[in-house]
Amino acid sequence: GAGVSQSPSNKVTEKGKDVELRCDPISGHTALYWYRQSLGQGLEFLIYFQGNSAPDKSGLPSDRFSAERTGGSVSTLTIQRTQQEDSAVYLCASRYGGGPDTQYFGPGTRLTVL
Amino acid sequence: GNSVTQMEGPVTLSEEAFLTINCTYTATGYPSLFWYVQYPGEGLQLLLKATKADDKGSNKGFEATYRKETTSFHLEKGSVQVSDSAVYFCALCTPAAGNKLTFGGGTRVLVKP
């Protein structure tokens, strides 16, 4: 079946602009995660959605970052007033259940802030 | 909180050599442990996992055993191939932390013919 998809694959933006990154999880997966992969920070958790529960936003680095998940499926990560330190690969992952099942990762969106 | 420490790379070795990548962890609660691999130009994919003590995960000739007494999950392969060149990430998750993954810093492995 189809895996996790993300769009765009690459995004170049100017400092101060807003960007939206999209994630389509595997159909039927109830859990969705966003992570960020950067040279300086490695792989770090950003936000987690599980079913209809309130999201775990504990990893968001600032209030410029927000995410939503509509209809329990597609998710959008929004970064407002982008800064150069936001440059990274943003990864989305989905998981079937609420336990320690495997998370399946999308190919990522490479964000470059000039 | 949860944390994962893995050996820094790069690790360079010849084809058919033995590979070990050390991984140790600290966790609140009882973690599940994972090794993810990122091949050049590709996304993260699960290599193997173990969900309880003394479990051995294995895949593609790689193995790792969940050692609760030493809080370790070292990755091993007896005879590497050039195609094993990649970045390897050790990771854990715990129910108390929403099962979000905490990753080690990654170890780049380069296998030369």
Side-chain angles (χ1 to χ4, degrees):
Chain A
V4 178
S5 61
Q6 293 185 244
S7 61
S9 55
N10 278 287
K11 176 72 177 179
V12 180
T13 190
E14 293 179 349
K15 177 181 172 181
K17 301 282 190 183
D18 298 351
V19 296
E20 286 189 350
L21 312 180
R22 177 187 168 105
C23 172
D24 283 86
I26 294 172
S27 178
H29 281 195
T30 60
L32 187 148
Y33 298 79
W34 283 97
Y35 296 88
R36 179 167 73 172
Q37 186 173 21
S38 58
L39 280 176
Q41 302 297 323
L43 270 159
E44 53 181 346
F45 162 79
L46 296 176
I47 188 169
Y48 159 51
F49 297 89
Q50 173 63 58
N52 295 320
S53 302
D56 176 354
K57 304 179 183 180
S58 60
L60 295 179
S62 79
D63 59 8
R64 295 186 295 104
F65 288 72
S66 62
E68 63 177 18
R69 188 178 185 192
T70 53
S73 181
V74 171
S75 178
T76 302
L77 177 69
T78 301
I79 309 174
Q80 295 179 308
R81 304 181 303 282
T82 52
Q83 304 295 311
Q84 288 184 330
E85 61 262 29
D86 301 334
S87 296
V89 177
Y90 289 82
L91 297 170
C92 175
S94 71
R95 192 190 70 220
Y96 174 70
D101 299 316
T102 300
Q103 292 184 29
Y104 295 89
F105 283 81
T109 294
R110 181 175 296 278
L111 174 66
T112 303
V113 182
L114 301 177
Chain B
N2 296 340
S3 68
V4 176
T5 302
Q6 63 181 103
M7 59 189 290
E8 291 189 19
V11 174
T12 303
L13 56 168
S14 300
E15 213 166 18
E16 299 184 4
F18 185 87
L19 171 67
T20 299
I21 304 176
N22 290 338
C23 171
T24 57
Y25 66 88
T26 58
T28 302
Y30 201 173
S32 294
L33 303 174
F34 305 83
W35 278 99
Y36 278 83
V37 60
Q38 192 170 35
Y39 297 104
E42 298 186 17
L44 269 175
Q45 53 186 279
L46 179 71
L47 181 60
L48 52 84
K49 69 178 183 182
T51 58
K52 61 182 189 294
D54 300 324
D55 266 3
K56 178 186 284 188
S58 61
N59 186 23
K60 298 182 180 182
F62 289 88
E63 292 183 340
T65 301
Y66 188 143
R67 300 288 188 200
K68 190 163 185 254
E69 64 277 12
T70 55
T71 62
S72 65
F73 193 53
H74 304 321
L75 183 68
E76 297 182 335
K77 185 172 184 181
S79 176
V80 293
Q81 305 299 313
V82 172
S83 58
D84 294 323
S85 297
V87 181
Y88 293 82
F89 294 91
C90 186
L92 67 82
C93 71
T94 58
N99 286 308
K100 53 183 177 270
L101 288 166
T102 299
F103 288 91
T107 302
R108 182 176 299 276
V109 172
L110 177 60
V111 181
K112 296 186 173 180

